[in-house]
Amino acid sequence: MSFADKLKEARKEASLTQKELAEQAGVSWRAVQTWEAGRLPKSLDPVMKVAAVLGTTAQSLLSDSDTYVIEAAEKGGARAARDVDELVSEVIGLFAGGDIDEEEKDGIMAALNEAYWIAKKSNARYAPKKYREK
């Protein structure tokens, strides 16, 4: 179930309109409307505010991939969020369907893991000295 669906369901269970939820959470009505239409928030803070009003947690409203996309947006902006969303969607699509057997899936995961560590090692030289491992 998507963030939009979970949010709408939780709001209706709380017997709140979009406007009432927005007012109680301290976010704009347009934001709630946009989220229920399928767009993710740009940061976790408003999700936590809305979740508190609804008597739930941000984690119950967001999937892991939603959280990654929002965190990417917070750290790297809209482009980073789009890139993460696209990558996660493609990987989910790859593993969810098609004719890929378990051995091939394991190989793909190993390749993704290796790519991550190669990039991390390569990018380490750009990190400020105080953040580098000693």
Side-chain angles (χ1 to χ4, degrees):
M1 184 182 288
S2 70
F3 169 70
D5 295 332
K6 291 177 187 177
L7 177 61
K8 185 182 284 188
E9 183 177 293
R11 178 181 59 77
K12 287 184 177 182
E13 283 179 16
S15 301
L16 294 171
T17 65
Q18 289 177 339
K19 190 171 187 173
E20 291 168 337
L21 175 59
E23 289 171 355
Q24 291 181 31
V27 299
S28 72
W29 165 72
R30 178 65 83 192
V32 173
Q33 185 182 42
T34 302
W35 300 337
E36 287 190 5
R39 180 168 281 180
L40 287 173
K42 294 179 179 156
S43 71
L44 290 173
D45 185 56
V47 179
M48 291 187 289
K49 289 177 181 178
V50 167
V53 170
L54 295 172
T56 189
T57 63
Q59 292 80 11
S60 68
L61 294 174
L62 297 167
S63 68
D64 287 343
S65 60
D66 291 340
T67 303
Y68 298 142
V69 172
I70 293 170
E71 288 175 351
E74 287 178 329
K75 294 175 184 173
R79 182 175 179 183
R82 271 193 314 274
D83 290 347
V84 169
D85 187 39
E86 185 178 310
L87 177 62
V88 170
S89 296
E90 287 181 17
V91 170
I92 288 171
L94 179 68
F95 289 140
D99 298 324
I100 299 174
D101 63 27
E102 291 303 313
E103 188 175 323
E104 290 171 322
K105 289 178 184 178
D106 290 345
I108 292 166
M109 281 307 301
L112 289 171
N113 193 24
E114 183 179 355
Y116 167 78
W117 289 109
I118 289 170
K120 184 172 178 134
K121 185 175 181 178
S122 173
N123 291 331
R125 67 182 138 186
Y126 301 111
K129 287 183 182 179
K130 66 181 182 179
Y131 296 114
R132 293 183 195 168
E133 292 181 24
K134 305 225 186 258

